């Protein structure tokens, strides 16, 4: 019997790495790594195929064994960063002067110089004058002005997009790609929705080119399962769906690393950062869920949700800048960009009588980046990795482990010029590098209300061991380095689930509104490649903005297997004690059902809680809460009691408690609800999927923030 193999491919700035994982045992079967093919005729898609073929061929994996294949892509982000975008014609439609004004999208500036931009041309069709002839003539006028792709955007198109669909049909007959704004987002807000569609349309030609070459190569290799593409929100979608909404793939690389930490490392509550050679991606995982925000392009927020991952310009290969007295900065330029070898990865005898020189890696860069030059003319970069090796912070066997002697020799040349010891110079380098990531960590912790006592740092990427332990020590935090850290992003791609999100603005939604958006999310996830039988939907309501969000996740196959072995009560208790930073003897079991344990401990006269599933993932951590086991039929009585008993009153404000349900094999999060009646409605959309006698753990927590 053939194995079932999941393949994930991550496209990094330096390397493209493929990982094959056994779907039943969670074992890594093989890794294939190649240099990212930025300069290839086929672009980075050539590297995706090379890495994939290398992974299979070198590890004796047959094409027929692959049951899931997905890859992250830098194409959308790179197209925008490099200005490799199509001129976009915008057709706005509506019944008012306001709609006409809001559907006009000016050129979208993509860089600080203003040279890279999405050039737009705008037309407007009043709905009372709309017909096939007018629509076709308008497209022809835009093409005549230079438009290569078209956006159709109608005021209130999310409610009725008939005219948008008509323009798309006409465009297809004219061999012109059309993005329908209401396909890209279901949110009201004509200007923002139209701008998001313009960004999507502008990258269509580039993305089609990549998608077609990648899919053809995968098919030629004998893979028959659908090719999936990583989304920026941590899910995957079918390549055919990507052809309609390529903008959803923005930041799919950083998303992959966070998903890897979440799925593979059981990082339920952590600030995760992946340290590469050029940059570090930093994101937050809270209560087993990665934090989400809207993507920003050209200084404007879009309506595209992505993992809230911040890219920091310091990493293992970051070069050093120095004046005559001290190290003044580290990064953002890397040794890769300067085309210099790391001193740490060189042989000591290659570095002959080194002297400090100052270089300018790219035009317009500062001219005080440090390199060393030997008497034979060979040049080497001093990097963060070199400093970590010189301080003996990296252990043998780590991906960042290099030559202590070579690192010491290189940094001594710099320390002599600065009148410092080697240790002092190396420490200055590490301090400047960690300052950059500490600033981002603190910002994200504050933004997502992660208590400092609950912060744990989890590191991945090839450069993790060079930067993360030092950063954790400076911050006084615990940390973990991922097993197979150098390929954690590829692991994240391999383990990703199909995901789709439907958002709408619905003031005072009723039960039918919630059921409609739930069904729409299921349909969207099905179109993206999920088997309907596997789809689960999480409903969220933001009472302050009137946003209703349905998040649908599912698998590409009906028969799913648990990738993670179960933990028993003792193992779960040990994991919880570590999370609580409390001796195991002070941790007690509060409740248990088929899928979850609930543990507690007393701190400052408050019960601190952890809900941990029986795979070892901590799903909820709260500092002041209660939990009780009941049935589906008894949930409302428990929730109503918690709503009153756990409310917090401050001046004239009542802070409602946060409610969670551990129902079936999932945790449903109802945090942020302001009205009990609204909570009842949202819960009912979930409870109707379950039998009345099914056991459920209800968790309530005081909201002291």
């Amino acid at each position: 019997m053939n194995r079932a193999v999941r393949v994930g491919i991550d496209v990094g700035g330096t390397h493209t790495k493929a990982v094959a994982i056994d779907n039943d045992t969670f074992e890594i079967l093989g890794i294939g790594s190649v240099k990212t093919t930025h300069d290839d005729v086929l672009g980075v898609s050539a590297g995706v195929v090379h890495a994939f073929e290398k992974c299979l061929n070198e590890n004796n994996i047959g094409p027929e064994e692959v049951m899931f294949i997905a890859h992250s892509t830098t194409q959308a982000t790179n197209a925008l960063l490099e200005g490799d975008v199509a001129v976009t014609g915008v057709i706005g439609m509506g019944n008012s002067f306001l709609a006409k004004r809001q559907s006009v999208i000016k050129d979208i500036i993509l860089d600080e110089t203003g040279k890279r931009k999405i050039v737009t041309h705008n037309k407007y069709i009043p709905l009372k004058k709309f017909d096939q002839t007018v629509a076709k003539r308008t497209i022809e006028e835009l093409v005549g002005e230079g438009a290569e792709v078209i956006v159709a955007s109608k005021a209130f198109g999310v409610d009725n997009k008939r005219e948008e669909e008509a323009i798309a049909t006409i465009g297809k007959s004219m061999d012109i790609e059309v993005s329908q704004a209401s396909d890209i987002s279901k949110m009201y807000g004509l200007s923002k929705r139209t701008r998001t569609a313009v960004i999507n349309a502008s990258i269509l030609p580039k993305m089609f080119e990549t998608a077609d070459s990648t899919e053809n190569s995968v098919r030629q290799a004998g893979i028959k399962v659908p090719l999936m593409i990583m989304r920026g929100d941590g899910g995957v979608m079918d390549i055919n769906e990507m052809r309609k909404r390529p903008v959803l793939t923005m930041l799919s690389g950083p998303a992959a690393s966070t998903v890897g930490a979440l799925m593979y490392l059981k990082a339920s509550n952590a600030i995760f950062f992946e340290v590469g050679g050029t940059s570090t991606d930093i994101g937050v995982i809270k209560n087993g869920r990665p934090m989400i925000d809207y993507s920003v392009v050209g200084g404007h927020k879009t309506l595209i949700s992505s993992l809230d991952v911040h890219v920091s310009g310091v990493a293992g290969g970051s070069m050093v800048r120095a004046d005559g007295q001290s190290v003044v900065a580290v990064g953002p330029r890397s040794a890769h960009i300067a085309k210099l070898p790391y001193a740490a990865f060189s042989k000591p005898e290659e570095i002959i009588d080194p002297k400090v020189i100052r270089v300018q890696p790219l035009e317009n860069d500062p001219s005080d980046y440090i390199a060393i030059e030997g008497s034979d003319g060979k040049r080497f970069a001093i990097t963060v990795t070199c400093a970590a090796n010189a301080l003996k912070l990296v252990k043998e066997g780590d991906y960042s482990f290099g030559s202590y002697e070579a690192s010491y020799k290189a940094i001594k040349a710099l320390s002599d010029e600065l009148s410092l010891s080697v240790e002092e110079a190396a420490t200055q380098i590490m301090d400047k590098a960690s300052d950059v990531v500490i600033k981002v960590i603190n910002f994200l912790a504050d933004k997502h209300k992660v208590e400092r006592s609950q912060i744990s740092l989890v590191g991945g990427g090839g450069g993790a061991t060079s930067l993360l332990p030092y950063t954790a020590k400076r911050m006084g935090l615990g940390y973990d380095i991922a097993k197979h850290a150098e390929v954690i992003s590829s692991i994240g791609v391999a383990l990703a689930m199909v995901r789709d999100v439907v958002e709408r603005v619905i003031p005072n939604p009723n039960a039918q509104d919630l059921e409609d958006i739930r069904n729409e999310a299921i349909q969207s996830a099905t179109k993206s490649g999920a088997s309907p039988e596997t789809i689960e939907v999480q409903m969220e309501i933001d009472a302050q903005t009137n946003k209703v969000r349905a998040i649908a996740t599912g698998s590409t196959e009906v028969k799913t297997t648990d990738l993670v072995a179960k933990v028993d009560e003792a193992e779960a208790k040990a994991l919880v004690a570590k999370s609580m930073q409390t001796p195991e003897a002070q941790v007690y079991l509060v409740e248990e059902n088929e899928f979850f344990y609930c543990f507690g401990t007393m701190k400052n006269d408050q019960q601190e809680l952890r809900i941990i599933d029986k795979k070892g993932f901590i799903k909820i951590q709260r500092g002041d809460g209660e939990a009780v086991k009941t049935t589906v039929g008894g949930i409302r009585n428990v929730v109503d009691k918690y709503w009153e008993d756990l409310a917090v009153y401050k001046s004239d404000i009542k802070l409602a408690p946060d409610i969670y349900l551990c129902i079936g094999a999932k945790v449903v999060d109802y945090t942020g609800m302001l009205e009990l009646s609204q909570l009842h409605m949202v819960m009912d959309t979930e409870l109707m999927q379950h039998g009345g006698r099914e056991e459920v753990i209800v968790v309530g927590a005081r909201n002291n923030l």
Side-chain angles (χ1 to χ4, degrees), residues 361-376:
L362 294 178
E363 188 179 355
N364 299 323
D365 277 348
S367 57
D368 59 353
Y369 280 96
I370 299 298
I372 57 167
E373 185 176 85
S375 58
D376 59 354

Side-chain angles (χ1 to χ4, degrees), residues 13-14 276-279 313-320 330-342 359-362 365 369-370 381-384:
T14 308
T278 303
S279 61
V314 64
S318 295
M319 294 177 66
V320 176
V330 173
R333 289 291 170 252
S334 69
H336 308 290
I337 299 298
K339 298 182 179 178
L340 291 172
Y342 295 30
V359 298
Q360 189 177 26
L362 294 178
D365 277 348
Y369 280 96
I370 299 298
I382 295 176
T383 67
V384 173

Side-chain angles (χ1 to χ4, degrees), residues 172-354:
K172 187 175 182 179
S173 71
M174 299 170 65
D175 201 25
I176 295 172
E177 293 297 332
V178 176
S179 278
Q180 300 175 51
S182 299
D183 271 352
I184 310 303
S185 173
K186 302 298 183 185
M187 292 288 289
Y188 293 121
L190 181 60
S191 181
K192 194 176 291 186
R193 189 169 70 250
T194 307
R195 184 184 301 111
T196 304
V198 167
I199 295 167
N200 184 76
S202 74
I203 59 177
L204 282 173
K206 189 69 176 178
M207 297 299 288
F208 279 10
E209 179 184 307
T210 300
D212 290 344
S213 62
T214 306
E215 186 175 37
N216 289 339
S217 297
V218 168
R219 292 289 165 260
Q220 289 173 13
I223 303 298
K224 296 180 180 179
V225 295
L227 176 62
M228 310 298 289
I229 310 297
M230 193 81 185
R231 294 163 48 125
D233 63 4
V236 291
M237 61 181 175
D238 183 276
I239 194 167
N240 293 318
E241 189 66 15
M242 187 276 281
R243 287 187 171 96
K244 288 174 58 180
R245 299 184 288 168
V247 72
L248 298 183
T249 68
M250 285 195 307
L251 298 177
S252 70
S257 60
T258 306
V259 172
L262 179 67
M263 295 291 292
Y264 192 67
L265 307 179
K266 302 183 181 180
S268 301
N269 293 279
I271 291 182
F272 175 79
F273 58 96
E274 181 185 26
V275 187
T278 303
S279 61
T280 297
D281 302 329
I282 305 176
V284 176
I285 297 169
K286 184 177 179 181
N287 290 330
R289 298 168 60 194
M291 297 294 98
I292 301 287
D293 203 352
Y294 290 124
S295 299
V296 175
V297 176
H300 297 283
K301 272 199 171 185
T302 69
L303 291 176
I304 299 303
S305 293
S306 64
L307 268 62
D308 191 11
V309 176
H310 287 229
V311 182
S312 177
V314 64
S318 295
M319 294 177 66
V320 176
R321 294 173 55 203
D323 58 20
Q325 288 79 43
S326 64
V327 174
V328 297
V330 173
R333 289 291 170 252
S334 69
H336 308 290
I337 299 298
K339 298 182 179 178
L340 291 172
Y342 295 30
F345 298 147
S346 305
K347 295 178 180 179
E349 58 268 23
E350 291 180 303
I351 303 175
I352 305 169
D353 299 325

Side-chain angles (χ1 to χ4, degrees), residues 31-34 49-59:
I31 296 171
S33 179
V34 300
V49 174
H50 294 162
F52 158 71
E53 291 178 337
K54 186 177 181 182
C55 181
L56 265 60
N57 294 337
E58 293 183 358
N59 298 285

Side-chain angles (χ1 to χ4, degrees), residues 52-234:
F52 158 71
E53 291 178 337
K54 186 177 181 182
C55 181
L56 265 60
N57 294 337
E58 293 183 358
N59 298 285
N60 299 314
I61 299 170
E64 72 282 354
E65 295 180 291
V66 177
M67 49 77 71
F68 176 90
I69 180 170
H71 73 84
S72 70
T73 176
T74 60
Q75 286 297 86
T77 304
N78 287 350
L80 295 168
L81 289 175
E82 297 165 8
D84 191 3
V85 291
V87 177
T88 304
V90 182
I91 301 176
M93 295 165 283
N95 285 317
S96 67
F97 174 76
L98 182 61
K100 181 176 182 179
R101 187 176 68 182
Q102 290 185 343
S103 63
V104 172
I105 303 298
K106 297 179 181 179
D107 291 354
I108 298 176
I109 306 301
L110 299 175
D111 69 355
E112 295 177 357
T113 69
K115 294 180 180 178
R116 298 188 180 97
K117 59 186 176 182
I118 302 172
V119 176
T120 59
H121 299 282
N122 295 269
K123 300 289 181 183
Y124 182 77
I125 303 176
L127 289 176
K128 60 185 177 182
K129 295 184 178 180
F130 186 92
D131 61 29
Q132 298 281 324
T133 302
V134 171
K136 184 175 182 181
R137 184 173 65 247
T138 304
I139 293 175
E140 291 171 342
E141 289 173 357
L142 287 168
V143 171
E145 294 175 9
E148 300 166 278
V149 290
I150 299 294
V151 164
S153 185
K154 173 188 171 184
F156 301 104
V158 295
D159 297 325
N160 181 347
K161 61 175 184 174
R162 183 176 63 245
E163 290 80 5
E164 290 185 8
E165 290 174 335
I167 290 174
T169 301
I170 295 168
K172 187 175 182 179
S173 71
M174 299 170 65
D175 201 25
I176 295 172
E177 293 297 332
V178 176
S179 278
Q180 300 175 51
S182 299
D183 271 352
I184 310 303
S185 173
K186 302 298 183 185
M187 292 288 289
Y188 293 121
L190 181 60
S191 181
K192 194 176 291 186
R193 189 169 70 250
T194 307
R195 184 184 301 111
T196 304
V198 167
I199 295 167
N200 184 76
S202 74
I203 59 177
L204 282 173
K206 189 69 176 178
M207 297 299 288
F208 279 10
E209 179 184 307
T210 300
D212 290 344
S213 62
T214 306
E215 186 175 37
N216 289 339
S217 297
V218 168
R219 292 289 165 260
Q220 289 173 13
I223 303 298
K224 296 180 180 179
V225 295
L227 176 62
M228 310 298 289
I229 310 297
M230 193 81 185
R231 294 163 48 125
D233 63 4

